[in-house]
Amino acid sequence: MKTITKFWAIIIAFNALFSCANEDQGKLDLGQANILISPQINSPIRETAEEILVEEIEKRTALHLKVADKWEGNTTIAIALENDIELFGKKLPLKSNSVPENLKAEGYRIYHEKEGNRNTIWILGADTRGILFGVGKLLRMANMKEGEITIKSAIDFSEAPEYPLRGHQFGFRNTANSWDAWTVEQFDQHFREQVLFGANSFENIPFQKVNSSPHFKVNPQLMEIELSKICEKYDAEYWVWTPAPHDLTIHNAHQEGLAEQEAFYAKCPRLDGVFVPGGDPGENHPAQLIPYLNDLSAILKEYHPEAGIWVSLQGFNKEKVEYFFDYLEQNNPDWLKGLVYGPSSPPIDLERKLLPKKYLHRFYPDITHTVRCQYPVDNWDQAFALTLGREPCNPQPFMYTDLFHRDSQFTDGFITYSDGTHDDVNKVLWSQLGVNPQKDPKEIIMEYSRFFFGPEVAEEATDGIFALEKNWEGPIKNNDSIKITLALWTSLEENNPQLSDNWRWQQLVMRAYYDAYIQDRLAFEKGLEAEANEILAQAKKIGAEEAMKNALQHLNKATTDMVSQDLKEKVFEYADKLFRSIGAQLSVEKYQARNAERGAILDFIDYPLNNRWWLEDEFDKIRELGTEKEKLARLDFIRTYDSPGEGSFYDNISSADAEHVTSKTDDAIDFLWENDGLSRKRLSTQLFQFTPTLEYHDLDPNASYLIRVSGFGEALLRANDQRLVPTKYEKGFEEFKEFPLPKDLIKDGTLKLSFDKPDEEHLNWRKQSRVTDVWLIKE
């Protein structure tokens, strides 16, 4: 028996040794590599490429690679332009069958050449940008850890970007939830990292007042110039988002707007694009906007001849849209470089169809917001919307990959809309999809994790990022993955103390704790409300006043017997780390966030997740009623608000667990925002759709049903396509409309409800009619 055991031990050891040998043979050690950079690469990119390689490798490995001017040593990283004939006397490698004859613009090739004991990793760029993108790919592929950098051998890889414009907006302003606290050096590093993942453009929002943010470490007028210099360093386009004067019909507004712009153009070292939103902000008619843009273009060309004017049609009604495209068709102006599609623009496919081929089309996707935005989180639980709000850490690789494929096909590229660091994963995802739309998002996030967190952590961190997206899928109460996600991130947190000061790591770990805390609190507070309703059911026996007092006392356990405070404490701990590391402002009071919507997730972490605020206010109203009978009747209505009884149904229209609702809102304005996010309305009243649809099955065809609707404004209800006539029609919040349902409409036991949209285009969306609750009551 011992002999057999010894035999298998030898076999296992041999196999392990052989496996390690094969593994080592598949890797190339770059720890002693010299760096050669072609003198043909123009400044500043030659110096930039050298700086990036040396610094980024040294940060991760403590190895300082030598930059040489001749071939020496056995391992070399050689960087040259594709059209170079030789590099320091050595001919560039021949093309292989897998590499195009000529790389497209911004393309690169990474090639491992082996000659005896000498190994060369070639980075060959089609142009200077291709050089930087090739360096980025090398760094993203490499396994770097203390004292070691390796890369797979036998590489022959080439790539060129599919979309010519790939960028992100970085507005140095108080509205951003972190960047206004940054230094020039922080922006330089961040722009570098974005370039290494394929970005080639950055957009600032200039003209910020010096005292407009308490976090400014740099005068914003100086920073807007420094950002231009950084773009020049990395050969990235520098864009600016600069609205026209709000009302160009005001005397001298046109001239004053031009003068302000010219002063900026004159001092800006590099400028490639000027984006003027047609609306959001501003409500100028194109009849006034077009002459302004024409004059603006003439001034821009004086200082930056290759730069272009871009405009969006955000907020344009049908007449304005038709006016603008008629103007383009009739005048064929040269002052316009392209059109920008952003939130509240006409449909993207229609816009591209109407735009003459002479002009480019840029996408302006909102990758930074979660609600009340262009791309809301699909089927998001209200508890997250009320607490995490519009700007939490929001890695959503699957969602944004789908949106990229849906909408980017109509464009020539994109500069995303962002207002902080919380969407960092999404930026990298978009940059990489802009390079290769077919790239697997899992591969993108793996490269993200490897580069920023290290190879030993990369796989688990990648799983953790996708797990955070899964946390947001559907009702919290049924989402078992939230605690699994927390366990994964707490394990990563415990085992990787070396990452504790990494801001990307900090915000991801914090999200895992936050999600789990909200799940625990939701379960606890919903349970309290259910138990309070049981207390209210005793009102006839103990009296209305006693029932209300006991119910409120029970509900207030949410503030006296708070659950999972260890999770909450971790959230606050990481929030403080993020403020110290990148100036992330996660609270208005504590960290001076611009306002409650700008990432202030700490200020809402204990927002009620049941209706206790609403019940407090309702009880005050009930106490004013004249008789005990009236009080008891109102208490009974409140208690059964969402439980209409056997054979009846209730739906909170945009709730993630709405059973009969088949429609979804398209822009997440279904989460009401009032009183800086501290609304005391019933939770269901804070959710709505403009024209929801609902479906019911297995109804009793012999029964009489009443449809009750709550919301605001009109409710033009159809049942199985037939418009119904109301017997009650109140238009205020938490008032009711009632529609008897004709029996002949449900002969087969099925019912489809829909709502016609009233003619309210003249109203701001906040004042338009909406539906919040629907009951189908069996009488």
Side-chain angles (χ1 to χ4, degrees), residues 381-388 472 476-477 482-483 511-526 563-564 567-568 571 601 604-609:
D381 195 291
Q382 186 182 20
F384 282 145
L386 293 171
T387 53
L388 285 168
W472 286 0
I476 291 176
K477 64 182 181 182
I482 291 175
K483 288 298 166 54
R511 249 289 311 282
Y513 279 112
Y514 199 112
D515 290 358
Y517 178 60
I518 297 304
Q519 185 179 49
D520 287 354
R521 200 162 66 79
L522 179 67
F524 178 58
E525 294 190 15
K526 288 294 187 184
V563 299
S564 303
L567 302 180
K568 178 182 173 182
V571 172
I601 63 173
F604 298 95
I605 194 168
D606 287 321
Y607 183 94
L609 299 181

Side-chain angles (χ1 to χ4, degrees), residues 711-775:
F712 177 81
E714 307 292 339
L716 308 181
L717 177 64
R718 289 185 181 271
N720 289 339
D721 293 327
Q722 180 176 313
R723 275 284 289 271
L724 299 187
V725 178
T727 54
K728 184 176 185 178
Y729 204 76
E730 300 170 337
K731 295 186 179 182
F733 278 117
E734 295 175 17
E735 295 182 339
F736 304 98
K737 304 171 181 68
E738 294 182 348
F739 304 81
L741 179 64
K743 289 184 180 181
D744 63 340
L745 292 180
I746 55 168
K747 291 178 181 178
D748 61 355
T750 63
L751 174 64
K752 292 184 178 181
L753 298 182
S754 61
F755 292 80
D756 293 344
K757 189 170 180 61
D759 182 10
E760 296 177 330
E761 287 196 5
H762 59 288
L763 297 176
N764 180 281
W765 68 263
R766 294 173 180 83
K767 298 179 181 179
Q768 292 178 1
S769 299
R770 75 282 309 270
V771 177
T772 62
D773 311 78
V774 173
W775 294 259

Side-chain angles (χ1 to χ4, degrees), residues 115-138:
E115 298 172 307
N117 292 329
R118 175 170 288 181
N119 290 282
T120 304
I121 293 293
W122 289 93
I123 300 176
L124 305 173
D127 45 36
T128 52
R129 285 183 179 172
I131 293 291
L132 295 185
F133 297 143
V135 168
K137 181 62 175 179
L138 177 69

Side-chain angles (χ1 to χ4, degrees), residues 395 397-398 425 440-451 453-455 457-469 488-489 492 505 508:
F398 284 140
V425 169
D440 187 339
K442 292 184 178 179
E443 181 184 351
I444 296 171
I445 305 307
M446 178 65 82
E447 288 189 353
Y448 179 93
S449 297
R450 184 189 300 119
F451 183 73
F453 307 141
V457 181
E459 189 168 341
E460 282 189 288
T462 297
D463 290 342
I465 288 171
F466 281 97
L468 287 173
E469 182 173 24
L488 172 57
W489 278 107
L492 284 167
W505 185 262
L508 293 168

